[in-house]
Structures are given as C-alpha cells and as structure tokens.
Amino acid sequence: MSSDRGSATKEIRVQPIENGTVIDHITAGQALNVLKILGIPGTSKSIVSVLIYAPSIDGTKDVVKIEGRELNVKEVDKISLISPNATINIIRDLEVLHKNHVHIPKKVEGVVRCINPNCISNSNEPITSKFTVSSDDLRIVLRCVYCERVISEDIAEHLL
Amino acid sequence: MYPSIYIMAFEDMHIISMKDFSRDTIDHILATAEELEPIARGKRTSDLLAGKILAVLFFEPSTRTRMSFEAAMTRLGGSVLNLGSVEASSITKGETLADTIRVVNGYANAIVIRHPKEGSAKLASEFSSIPVLNAGDGAGHHPTQTLLDLYTIRRESHLDGLRIALAGDLKYGRTVHSLCYALSLYGAHITLVSPKELRMPNAIIKDLEDRGIEVKQTESIGEAIKDVDVLYVTRIQKERFPDHAEYQRVANSLQITPELLVQAQPGLKIMHPLPRTNEIDQRVDLTHHACYFEQAFYGVPVRMALLALVMGAIE
C-alpha cells in the first residue's frame, strides 16, 4: 500500500478502501449489473468506487469497491453467473485479508427467473426458481429444473 | 444426459421425463407391458391393483391419454378418481397445484397429471409422497406417449437398428423430439421429412449426431419412404402458417396415400399419435402398413405396466 501516495491520477482511479470488499476481474461491462445485484444504489450507505473497462492483463475488466460491506453467498452466486472470472477480496485495515475466485455453483435457487412465461415456476406456486448451472468455454448455461428452458445470454436481465 | 445402464427400482418412482430412463429401464417397462397385453385386450382378467386408487388430474382436455390410463387402471382391478372439469374444482377458487397435490395424496395411491404449464409434473412430484405420472405438461414432456411409441415399434417392427422417417411438424412436436432421443438409445437411422418452416431445431439434431445417430433431412416424403421400416407421421397445424394456401400446399406435399406407398418397403409400418386430420389418406387404413389404431391401443398395456411398477404390484 506504499503507492497510496502515488500520482494524483492513480489515487483517483484506484481509491483504496479501509474495510470492505473489492470485486476484481469483473467481466468488462458488467460492473453496473454487479451493483444491481448488491442493491446499489438503494438503502446501502456504503461508499462505492467503480472502474469500467479498466486495462488488465487479458484486455479489460471492471472493478467494484465497497466500503464497510461483505457479500453473502447468494450475492456471490449471482456475481459468478454474470462474471465467472471475478475475484472477491475482503479488505481489513487496508490489507487484503482473503482473496477468492468466485465459485460457479452447480445449482442456483431463487436467483434467476425462468424466461419461459409458461413455466410453472412463473406461477403462483410455493416454490423458488431452480436452475442447474454448467459452463462451456466460460459461457454460463442455466437450465430450468422445471421446464428445462436454457438461459445462456443476458443472464443479468433475468436475475431476481 | 441419460443415466448409465441400470434398471431402477420402480416402486414409488415418479414418471416425469424420458431423460430419466436408461435403455435397460425402458426395455424392462416394454417387456412388462408385453406380459400384461393379454389383460389389456380383455383376454385375461387381473386383480393386480385391486384396492388401489389412481387419481386422474387433467387440467386440460384429453381423450385417449385419459381414457387409456383409466382403462389401464380398471383392467388391473384398480379404481379411478377423476378430478372432473377444472371449472367445477377448487382450482377456480385459486388453489395452487401444490395444494391440490397434497390434498389428493390423501385420496389415492398414485396420480396421473396433465397440465398446461411446463414443469408442472415436476412440481407435483416435489409435493407428492405417492407416485406422479406425467401425462403431458404443456410443451414439455409426455413420457408415456414416447413409451407407447417405442412399444408399438417393438411389437410391429423392431427397435434395434431401426430405420425410421419422421414426417410433419418436427419443429414444435414434442412427441417427435422425445421419440428421437429415446431412439438414439437403440442406434436408429433417422430421416426427418418436413417443410423448411417446420424443421427440427438444429440443437436437437446436433445432440442426436453427438450421440452417433445418423440423421438425414429431406422435404420429399417419396424419397424418404423407400428404405425405412417405420414412417411416423405427425399433424401439421394450420396456425403455424401465415395463410391457408401455404398450409394447404405443405399439407398436400406430405400426405400419405396408397399411391405413394407403392414405393415403400413391404414391411413398412405407419404410425401417428392421433388425432389426424388429412395427413394420412383414409384408404391407407385398409393396408397392412397402417398401425396407428393399434398404436393407440398399445397405450393401455404400457400404462398398465407403469402403474403396476410404480405402485409396487410387480418389480
């Protein structure tokens, strides 16, 4: 963290956080969807920094930093579906306490709405949506457990 | 996608999708149906399911599926409880399917359900401690239809190395999609006959080819009919076409007539899930090729086998 007092440009672009979470290596262009998953803006009073299309080793990436907030399992599951290469860094006292790649779950419940309007999971039944998850060359493929309809594109639009 | 080869324990099992079955399991169901066929024909009587009750929940109209399930249960000495019309039931009061299933669990030993929404049978199985048999869930699965189609092929022709042509609406027809997957377990050679507008989705063809199945496509029924053992015809629905003239042109191009059958193999069998409109000329009914009415009957022994297996009357 010795570079905290580096150039003014760097300080503006990569504002460090003292305690909270840095979600790094988000698929370029998905940062705003990550904010939506985290309910930001909303009732959260956290300070949030967002980098969109930042340069990275592989090309470009997005980064989201949230002060004073750690993520729950459902939030991480959702992020993994739209950004399978993301890393979750837990920051304590300006240091990285944990750094983990998101884990793509085999099954998700109550996370995505089925795109089939005639699917029973979209009716007034006492169930939550359920999908099996597979990945094919880093493309995430969701298959509804009830109607077997597949979602492989624009998953962010169908998040609950 | 299919489980590895084994015969599953049937008692208390739900029958939701063909994808749940291995080839050995299918063979076991078909062999059981063959044993029960004399009872289905009324040549023998049975009390295999005496004292058992089948709840028949049909949330949309059906004639042959509902009647053949009722015939199957009755032939085995069991009783049938019918939901009756949806309009007269608690469904109109807003009761969920989950609640209906839980209530009916107290009345019967097994449930057969047809429902307009995809995934409804799967949902029913989650709320049921008695076996649920899917008799069609919207555009989803209809496994007992596929099993009776396989049984018809086994009885009237042969399953191993079958050469089959499927003709008609191959785009929307769930029956043919499910049948193709099942036939892939038997190494079938499949010819698809349809107009461009109603071709089988590429994803399904690719899936079949990935399983090592040879798939040919043509628009000519005359070409397809020459070297196949079975011709499976499905209904072409008028509403799939923008105008009546186009529908008529396509329907005429695929019509099966005695004149067309001159080119067929002597042992060709023609199947159709029924109801038909004019896909098959009525004069074909009199030829030895026609087996669609027998196919409709075969629904009874196949459903008898399933009911007896899931209710634990036979293994």
Side-chain angles (χ1 to χ4, degrees):
Chain A
M1 305 308 285
S2 57
S3 62
D4 281 356
R5 303 216 174 261
S7 70
T9 312
K10 248 187 181 174
E11 199 159 309
I12 292 166
R13 286 177 59 189
V14 197
Q15 186 78 38
I17 57 172
E18 195 171 332
N19 289 295
T21 304
V22 175
I23 309 163
D24 200 356
H25 300 287
I26 297 169
T27 305
Q30 291 294 334
L32 297 180
N33 286 323
V34 169
L35 294 184
K36 192 173 143 196
I37 289 167
L38 302 178
I40 300 167
T43 52
S44 170
K45 300 288 184 199
S46 310
I47 297 168
V48 179
S49 314
V50 179
L51 279 176
I52 296 179
Y53 291 108
S56 76
I57 298 166
D58 306 328
T60 53
K61 65 176 182 178
D62 289 2
V63 182
V64 169
K65 297 179 171 197
I66 317 151
E67 186 73 49
R69 165 107 178 247
E70 290 181 14
L71 311 188
N72 63 39
V73 174
K74 194 168 258 189
E75 288 168 336
V76 175
D77 279 355
K78 286 182 181 178
I79 291 169
S80 75
L81 298 183
I82 63 166
S83 191
N85 287 328
T87 58
I88 311 285
N89 303 277
I90 308 295
I91 311 295
R92 295 271 168 80
D93 298 326
L94 293 168
E95 297 291 336
V96 177
L97 186 68
H98 294 297
K99 176 174 182 171
N100 292 312
H101 284 275
V102 292
H103 165 71
I104 300 168
K106 290 199 166 83
K107 200 170 178 182
V108 287
E109 291 193 24
V111 165
V112 178
R113 182 185 302 283
C114 183
I115 56 173
N116 174 7
N118 204 41
C119 176
I120 195 77
S121 69
N122 284 324
S123 56
N124 183 34
E125 296 291 339
I127 52 167
T128 54
S129 71
K130 294 188 192 78
F131 289 82
T132 56
V133 185
S134 57
S135 56
D136 170 15
D137 293 335
L138 287 180
R139 195 179 69 134
I140 299 288
V141 178
L142 303 176
R143 185 181 292 269
C144 175
V145 166
Y146 291 100
C147 76
E148 298 184 0
R149 185 69 68 89
V150 166
I151 309 176
S152 58
E153 290 172 2
D154 301 326
I155 291 172
E157 289 178 19
H158 309 292
L159 292 172
L160 284 166
Chain B
M1 194 171 290
Y2 288 89
S4 56
I5 293 172
Y6 64 94
I7 299 174
M8 43 182 86
F10 276 97
E11 189 170 3
D12 295 331
M13 180 184 162
H14 304 296
I15 307 291
I16 306 299
S17 161
M18 282 305 293
K19 291 179 181 172
D20 300 333
F21 298 143
S22 68
R23 174 177 166 161
D24 281 13
T25 301
I26 294 170
D27 285 340
H28 183 59
I29 296 167
L30 303 185
T32 306
E34 201 159 344
E35 281 174 31
L36 297 174
E37 195 182 307
I39 302 168
R41 290 192 187 278
K43 291 180 180 166
R44 273 174 29 210
T45 57
S46 169
D47 58 0
L48 208 54
L49 294 181
K52 305 276 190 187
I53 297 173
L54 175 68
V56 178
L57 309 184
F58 274 55
F59 295 87
E60 61 178 14
S62 157
T63 311
R64 71 206 77 245
T65 304
R66 182 177 53 77
M67 284 184 71
S68 71
F69 262 112
E70 291 179 353
M73 192 64 188
T74 309
R75 290 281 194 202
L76 291 176
S79 310
V80 174
L81 272 182
N82 209 311
L83 172 75
S85 72
V86 172
E87 292 73 25
S89 72
S90 294
I91 315 300
T92 51
K93 296 172 191 162
E95 185 177 60
T96 62
L97 177 60
D99 278 4
T100 303
I101 294 297
R102 285 186 279 209
V103 169
V104 172
N105 261 248
Y107 304 158
N109 301 94
I111 292 171
V112 54
I113 179 171
R114 170 169 287 191
H115 193 281
K117 288 202 176 284
E118 283 101 79
S120 50
K122 170 77 179 161
L123 176 138
S125 72
E126 290 180 358
F127 288 88
S128 182
S129 57
I130 59 175
V132 171
L133 296 99
N134 184 4
D137 57 344
H141 297 285
H142 192 0
T144 64
Q145 176 70 47
T146 304
L147 286 166
L148 81 85
D149 289 343
L150 293 174
Y151 186 71
T152 305
I153 295 168
R154 174 182 158 123
R155 294 284 284 110
E156 300 290 328
S157 185
H158 56 93
L159 276 168
D160 277 309
L162 179 76
R163 297 169 302 167
I164 185 170
L166 298 120
D169 178 355
L170 307 184
K171 185 174 182 181
Y172 300 99
R174 65 179 171 190
T175 308
V176 288
H177 299 169
S178 182
L179 182 59
C180 281
Y181 279 122
L183 287 172
S184 72
L185 298 175
Y186 293 87
H189 304 272
I190 298 173
T191 303
L192 305 173
V193 191
S194 65
K196 285 192 191 77
E197 303 89 323
L198 297 176
R199 276 191 184 162
M200 186 167 284
N202 283 333
I204 296 177
I205 293 174
K206 184 178 177 306
D207 206 1
L208 293 171
E209 288 172 343
D210 287 348
R211 292 159 183 263
I213 297 303
E214 181 193 334
V215 181
K216 286 189 222 161
Q217 292 198 78
T218 176
E219 289 182 42
S220 164
I221 190 76
E223 187 189 315
I225 210 170
K226 287 176 189 160
D227 53 5
V228 292
D229 307 306
V230 169
L231 172 63
Y232 194 105
V233 185
T234 62
R235 189 158 53 99
I236 292 180
Q237 296 180 42
K238 283 180 193 165
E239 55 269 30
R240 306 286 185 211
F241 292 88
D243 62 74
H244 184 73
E246 184 62 11
Y247 160 73
Q248 207 61 55
R249 183 191 66 76
V250 168
N252 289 342
S253 76
L254 289 181
Q255 199 191 30
I256 314 300
T257 61
E259 293 76 22
L260 181 83
L261 291 174
V262 171
Q263 306 171 66
Q265 299 272 318
L268 173 78
K269 294 294 177 186
I270 301 171
M271 296 170 63
H272 191 301
L274 304 177
R276 65 173 160 175
T277 45
N278 57 358
E279 306 85 49
I280 302 175
D281 188 316
Q282 290 188 8
R283 291 174 298 154
V284 174
D285 302 355
L286 304 173
T287 71
H288 67 280
H289 298 298
C291 73
Y292 24 91
F293 295 116
E294 197 65 358
Q295 180 186 357
F297 159 73
Y298 286 141
V300 180
V302 166
R303 288 166 178 137
M304 284 168 71
L306 289 169
L307 292 170
L309 286 164
V310 301
M311 284 192 250
I314 48 177
E315 289 186 344

Coordinates of all heavy atoms in Angstrom, one line a residue, chain B residues 145-198:
Chain B
Q145 N -46.4 -41.3 -23.8 CA -46.6 -41.3 -25.3 C -45.4 -41.9 -25.9 O -45.4 -42.8 -26.8 CB -46.9 -39.9 -25.8 CG -47.0 -39.8 -27.3 CD -48.2 -40.5 -27.9 OE1 -49.3 -40.3 -27.4 NE2 -48.1 -41.3 -28.9
T146 N -44.2 -41.5 -25.5 CA -42.9 -42.0 -26.1 C -42.8 -43.5 -25.8 O -42.4 -44.2 -26.7 CB -41.7 -41.2 -25.5 OG1 -41.9 -39.8 -25.8 CG2 -40.4 -41.7 -26.2
L147 N -43.1 -43.9 -24.6 CA -43.0 -45.3 -24.3 C -44.0 -46.1 -25.1 O -43.6 -47.2 -25.6 CB -43.3 -45.5 -22.8 CG -42.1 -45.1 -21.9 CD1 -42.6 -45.0 -20.4 CD2 -40.9 -46.0 -22.0
L148 N -45.2 -45.6 -25.4 CA -46.1 -46.4 -26.2 C -45.7 -46.4 -27.7 O -45.9 -47.4 -28.4 CB -47.6 -46.0 -26.0 CG -48.1 -44.7 -26.8 CD1 -48.6 -45.1 -28.1 CD2 -49.3 -44.2 -26.0
D149 N -45.0 -45.3 -28.1 CA -44.5 -45.3 -29.4 C -43.4 -46.4 -29.6 O -43.3 -47.1 -30.5 CB -43.9 -43.9 -29.8 CG -45.0 -42.9 -30.0 OD1 -46.1 -43.2 -30.2 OD2 -44.6 -41.7 -29.9
L150 N -42.5 -46.4 -28.6 CA -41.4 -47.4 -28.6 C -42.0 -48.8 -28.5 O -41.5 -49.8 -29.2 CB -40.5 -47.2 -27.4 CG -39.6 -46.0 -27.4 CD1 -38.9 -45.8 -26.1 CD2 -38.7 -45.9 -28.5
Y151 N -43.0 -49.0 -27.7 CA -43.7 -50.3 -27.6 C -44.3 -50.7 -29.0 O -44.2 -51.9 -29.4 CB -44.8 -50.3 -26.5 CG -45.4 -51.6 -26.3 CD1 -44.7 -52.6 -25.6 CD2 -46.7 -51.9 -26.7 CE1 -45.2 -53.9 -25.4 CE2 -47.3 -53.1 -26.4 CZ -46.5 -54.1 -25.7 OH -47.1 -55.4 -25.5
T152 N -44.9 -49.8 -29.7 CA -45.5 -50.1 -31.0 C -44.4 -50.5 -32.0 O -44.6 -51.5 -32.7 CB -46.2 -48.8 -31.5 OG1 -47.2 -48.3 -30.5 CG2 -46.9 -49.1 -32.8
I153 N -43.3 -49.8 -31.9 CA -42.2 -50.2 -32.9 C -41.7 -51.6 -32.5 O -41.5 -52.4 -33.4 CB -41.1 -49.1 -32.8 CG1 -41.6 -47.8 -33.3 CG2 -39.9 -49.6 -33.6 CD1 -40.7 -46.6 -33.0
R154 N -41.5 -51.8 -31.2 CA -41.1 -53.1 -30.8 C -42.0 -54.2 -31.2 O -41.6 -55.3 -31.7 CB -40.9 -53.1 -29.3 CG -40.5 -54.4 -28.6 CD -40.5 -54.2 -27.1 NE -40.7 -55.5 -26.4 CZ -39.8 -55.9 -25.5 NH1 -38.7 -55.2 -25.2 NH2 -40.0 -57.0 -24.8
R155 N -43.3 -54.0 -31.1 CA -44.3 -55.0 -31.4 C -44.5 -55.2 -32.9 O -44.8 -56.3 -33.4 CB -45.6 -54.7 -30.7 CG -45.6 -54.8 -29.2 CD -45.6 -56.2 -28.7 NE -46.9 -56.8 -28.7 CZ -47.3 -57.8 -29.5 NH1 -46.4 -58.3 -30.4 NH2 -48.5 -58.3 -29.5
E156 N -44.5 -54.1 -33.6 CA -44.9 -54.1 -35.0 C -43.7 -54.1 -36.0 O -43.9 -54.4 -37.2 CB -45.7 -52.8 -35.4 CG -47.0 -52.7 -34.6 CD -48.1 -53.8 -34.9 OE1 -48.1 -54.2 -36.1 OE2 -48.8 -54.2 -34.0
S157 N -42.5 -53.8 -35.5 CA -41.3 -53.8 -36.3 C -40.2 -54.2 -35.4 O -40.2 -55.3 -34.9 CB -41.1 -52.3 -36.9 OG -40.0 -52.3 -37.8
H158 N -39.1 -53.5 -35.3 CA -38.0 -53.8 -34.4 C -37.3 -52.6 -33.9 O -37.3 -51.6 -34.7 CB -37.0 -54.7 -35.1 CG -36.5 -54.1 -36.4 ND1 -35.4 -53.4 -36.5 CD2 -37.1 -54.1 -37.6 CE1 -35.2 -52.9 -37.7 NE2 -36.2 -53.3 -38.4
L159 N -36.8 -52.6 -32.7 CA -36.1 -51.3 -32.2 C -34.7 -51.2 -32.6 O -34.2 -50.2 -32.9 CB -36.3 -51.3 -30.7 CG -37.6 -50.7 -30.2 CD1 -37.8 -51.0 -28.7 CD2 -37.7 -49.2 -30.4
D160 N -34.0 -52.3 -32.5 CA -32.5 -52.3 -32.8 C -32.2 -52.0 -34.3 O -32.8 -52.7 -35.1 CB -31.8 -53.6 -32.4 CG -31.5 -53.6 -30.9 OD1 -30.9 -52.6 -30.4 OD2 -31.9 -54.5 -30.2
G161 N -31.4 -51.0 -34.5 CA -31.0 -50.7 -35.9 C -32.2 -50.2 -36.7 O -32.2 -50.3 -38.0
L162 N -33.2 -49.7 -36.1 CA -34.4 -49.2 -36.9 C -34.1 -48.1 -37.9 O -33.3 -47.2 -37.6 CB -35.4 -48.7 -35.8 CG -36.7 -48.2 -36.4 CD1 -37.6 -49.4 -36.9 CD2 -37.5 -47.3 -35.4
R163 N -34.7 -48.2 -39.0 CA -34.7 -47.1 -40.0 C -36.0 -46.5 -39.9 O -37.1 -47.1 -40.2 CB -34.4 -47.7 -41.4 CG -33.0 -48.3 -41.5 CD -32.9 -49.1 -42.8 NE -33.9 -50.1 -43.0 CZ -34.2 -50.7 -44.1 NH1 -33.6 -50.4 -45.2 NH2 -35.2 -51.6 -44.2
I164 N -36.1 -45.2 -39.5 CA -37.4 -44.6 -39.3 C -37.4 -43.2 -40.0 O -36.4 -42.5 -40.0 CB -37.7 -44.4 -37.8 CG1 -39.1 -43.9 -37.6 CG2 -36.6 -43.6 -37.0 CD1 -39.6 -43.9 -36.1
A165 N -38.5 -42.8 -40.6 CA -38.7 -41.5 -41.1 C -39.8 -40.8 -40.2 O -40.8 -41.4 -39.9 CB -39.1 -41.5 -42.5
L166 N -39.5 -39.6 -39.8 CA -40.4 -38.8 -39.1 C -40.9 -37.7 -40.0 O -40.0 -36.9 -40.4 CB -39.8 -38.3 -37.8 CG -39.4 -39.4 -36.8 CD1 -37.9 -39.3 -36.5 CD2 -40.2 -39.4 -35.5
A167 N -42.2 -37.5 -40.2 CA -42.7 -36.6 -41.1 C -43.7 -35.6 -40.5 O -44.5 -36.1 -39.7 CB -43.3 -37.3 -42.3
G168 N -43.7 -34.4 -40.9 CA -44.7 -33.4 -40.4 C -44.1 -32.3 -39.7 O -43.1 -31.7 -40.1
D169 N -44.8 -31.9 -38.6 CA -44.3 -30.7 -37.8 C -43.2 -31.2 -36.9 O -43.5 -31.8 -35.8 CB -45.5 -30.1 -37.0 CG -45.0 -29.0 -36.2 OD1 -43.8 -28.7 -36.1 OD2 -45.9 -28.3 -35.6
L170 N -41.9 -31.1 -37.3 CA -40.8 -31.5 -36.4 C -40.2 -30.4 -35.6 O -39.4 -30.6 -34.8 CB -39.7 -32.1 -37.3 CG -40.2 -33.2 -38.3 CD1 -39.0 -33.8 -39.1 CD2 -41.0 -34.3 -37.6
K171 N -40.8 -29.2 -35.8 CA -40.3 -28.0 -35.1 C -40.9 -28.0 -33.7 O -40.2 -27.8 -32.7 CB -40.5 -26.8 -35.8 CG -39.9 -25.5 -35.2 CD -40.1 -24.3 -36.1 CE -39.5 -23.1 -35.5 NZ -39.7 -21.9 -36.4
Y172 N -42.2 -28.0 -33.6 CA -42.9 -27.8 -32.4 C -43.3 -29.1 -31.7 O -43.7 -29.2 -30.6 CB -44.2 -27.0 -32.6 CG -43.9 -25.6 -33.2 CD1 -44.0 -25.4 -34.5 CD2 -43.4 -24.6 -32.4 CE1 -43.7 -24.1 -35.1 CE2 -43.1 -23.3 -32.9 CZ -43.3 -23.1 -34.2 OH -43.0 -21.9 -34.7
G173 N -43.3 -30.3 -32.5 CA -43.9 -31.5 -32.0 C -43.0 -32.1 -30.9 O -42.0 -32.7 -31.1
R174 N -43.5 -32.0 -29.6 CA -42.7 -32.6 -28.5 C -42.6 -34.1 -28.6 O -41.6 -34.7 -28.2 CB -43.3 -32.2 -27.2 CG -44.7 -32.8 -27.0 CD -45.3 -32.5 -25.7 NE -46.7 -32.9 -25.7 CZ -47.6 -32.6 -24.8 NH1 -47.2 -31.8 -23.8 NH2 -48.8 -33.0 -24.8
T175 N -43.6 -34.7 -29.2 CA -43.7 -36.2 -29.4 C -42.5 -36.7 -30.2 O -41.8 -37.6 -29.8 CB -45.0 -36.6 -30.2 OG1 -46.1 -36.0 -29.5 CG2 -45.1 -38.1 -30.2
V176 N -42.2 -36.0 -31.3 CA -41.1 -36.5 -32.1 C -39.7 -36.2 -31.5 O -38.8 -36.9 -31.6 CB -41.1 -35.9 -33.6 CG1 -42.2 -36.6 -34.3 CG2 -41.3 -34.4 -33.6
H177 N -39.6 -35.0 -30.8 CA -38.3 -34.7 -30.1 C -38.0 -35.8 -29.1 O -36.9 -36.4 -29.0 CB -38.4 -33.4 -29.4 CG -38.6 -32.2 -30.3 ND1 -38.9 -31.0 -29.9 CD2 -38.7 -32.1 -31.7 CE1 -39.1 -30.2 -30.9 NE2 -39.0 -30.9 -32.0
S178 N -39.0 -36.1 -28.3 CA -38.8 -37.1 -27.2 C -38.5 -38.5 -27.8 O -37.6 -39.2 -27.3 CB -40.0 -37.1 -26.3 OG -39.9 -38.0 -25.3
L179 N -39.2 -38.8 -28.9 CA -39.1 -40.1 -29.5 C -37.6 -40.2 -30.1 O -37.0 -41.3 -30.0 CB -40.1 -40.3 -30.6 CG -40.1 -41.7 -31.3 CD1 -40.2 -42.9 -30.4 CD2 -41.2 -41.7 -32.4
C180 N -37.2 -39.2 -30.7 CA -35.8 -39.2 -31.3 C -34.8 -39.5 -30.3 O -33.9 -40.3 -30.5 CB -35.5 -37.9 -32.0 SG -36.3 -37.8 -33.6
Y181 N -34.9 -38.8 -29.1 CA -33.9 -39.0 -28.0 C -34.0 -40.5 -27.6 O -32.9 -41.1 -27.4 CB -34.2 -38.1 -26.8 CG -33.7 -36.7 -27.0 CD1 -34.5 -35.6 -26.9 CD2 -32.3 -36.5 -27.2 CE1 -34.1 -34.3 -27.1 CE2 -31.9 -35.2 -27.3 CZ -32.7 -34.1 -27.3 OH -32.2 -32.8 -27.4
A182 N -35.2 -41.0 -27.4 CA -35.3 -42.4 -27.0 C -34.7 -43.4 -28.0 O -34.0 -44.3 -27.7 CB -36.7 -42.7 -26.7
L183 N -35.0 -43.1 -29.3 CA -34.5 -44.0 -30.4 C -33.0 -43.9 -30.5 O -32.3 -44.9 -30.9 CB -35.1 -43.6 -31.7 CG -36.6 -44.0 -31.9 CD1 -37.2 -43.4 -33.2 CD2 -36.8 -45.5 -31.9
S184 N -32.4 -42.8 -30.0 CA -30.9 -42.7 -30.1 C -30.3 -43.8 -29.2 O -29.2 -44.2 -29.4 CB -30.4 -41.3 -29.7 OG -30.6 -41.1 -28.3
L185 N -31.0 -44.2 -28.2 CA -30.5 -45.3 -27.3 C -30.4 -46.6 -28.0 O -29.8 -47.6 -27.6 CB -31.4 -45.5 -26.1 CG -31.5 -44.3 -25.1 CD1 -32.5 -44.5 -24.0 CD2 -30.2 -43.9 -24.5
Y186 N -31.2 -46.7 -29.2 CA -31.2 -48.0 -29.9 C -30.5 -47.9 -31.2 O -30.7 -48.8 -32.1 CB -32.7 -48.4 -30.1 CG -33.5 -48.7 -28.9 CD1 -34.1 -47.7 -28.1 CD2 -33.5 -50.0 -28.4 CE1 -34.7 -48.0 -26.9 CE2 -34.2 -50.3 -27.2 CZ -34.8 -49.3 -26.5 OH -35.5 -49.6 -25.3
G187 N -29.7 -46.9 -31.4 CA -28.9 -46.8 -32.7 C -29.8 -46.6 -33.9 O -29.4 -47.2 -35.0
A188 N -30.8 -45.9 -33.9 CA -31.7 -45.7 -35.0 C -31.1 -44.9 -36.1 O -30.2 -44.1 -35.9 CB -33.0 -45.1 -34.6
H189 N -31.5 -45.2 -37.4 CA -31.2 -44.3 -38.5 C -32.4 -43.4 -38.8 O -33.5 -44.0 -39.1 CB -30.8 -45.1 -39.7 CG -29.7 -46.1 -39.5 ND1 -28.4 -45.8 -39.6 CD2 -29.8 -47.4 -39.0 CE1 -27.7 -46.9 -39.3 NE2 -28.5 -47.9 -38.9
I190 N -32.2 -42.1 -38.6 CA -33.4 -41.2 -38.6 C -33.4 -40.4 -39.9 O -32.4 -39.7 -40.2 CB -33.4 -40.4 -37.3 CG1 -33.5 -41.3 -36.1 CG2 -34.5 -39.4 -37.4 CD1 -33.4 -40.5 -34.8
T191 N -34.6 -40.3 -40.6 CA -34.8 -39.4 -41.7 C -35.9 -38.4 -41.3 O -36.9 -38.9 -40.8 CB -35.2 -40.1 -43.0 OG1 -34.1 -41.1 -43.3 CG2 -35.3 -39.2 -44.1
L192 N -35.6 -37.1 -41.4 CA -36.6 -36.1 -41.0 C -37.2 -35.5 -42.3 O -36.5 -35.1 -43.2 CB -35.9 -35.0 -40.2 CG -35.1 -35.5 -38.9 CD1 -34.3 -34.3 -38.3 CD2 -36.1 -36.1 -37.9
V193 N -38.5 -35.6 -42.3 CA -39.2 -35.1 -43.5 C -40.1 -33.9 -43.1 O -41.1 -34.1 -42.4 CB -40.1 -36.2 -44.2 CG1 -40.6 -35.7 -45.5 CG2 -39.3 -37.5 -44.3
S194 N -39.8 -32.7 -43.5 CA -40.6 -31.6 -43.2 C -40.4 -30.4 -44.1 O -39.3 -30.3 -44.7 CB -40.4 -31.2 -41.7 OG -39.1 -30.7 -41.6
P195 N -41.3 -29.5 -44.2 CA -41.1 -28.3 -44.9 C -40.1 -27.5 -44.1 O -39.9 -27.7 -42.9 CB -42.4 -27.6 -45.0 CG -43.2 -28.1 -43.9 CD -42.7 -29.5 -43.7
K196 N -39.4 -26.5 -44.9 CA -38.4 -25.7 -44.2 C -38.9 -25.0 -42.9 O -38.2 -25.0 -41.9 CB -37.9 -24.6 -45.1 CG -37.0 -25.0 -46.2 CD -36.4 -23.8 -46.9 CE -35.7 -24.2 -48.2 NZ -36.6 -24.4 -49.3
E197 N -40.2 -24.6 -42.9 CA -40.7 -23.8 -41.8 C -40.9 -24.7 -40.5 O -40.9 -24.2 -39.4 CB -42.1 -23.3 -42.1 CG -42.2 -22.4 -43.4 CD -42.5 -23.2 -44.7 OE1 -41.9 -24.3 -44.8 OE2 -43.2 -22.7 -45.5
L198 N -40.9 -26.0 -40.7 CA -41.2 -26.9 -39.6 C -40.1 -27.9 -39.3 O -40.3 -29.0 -38.8 CB -42.6 -27.6 -39.8 CG -43.8 -26.7 -39.9 CD1 -45.0 -27.5 -40.3 CD2 -44.0 -25.9 -38.6

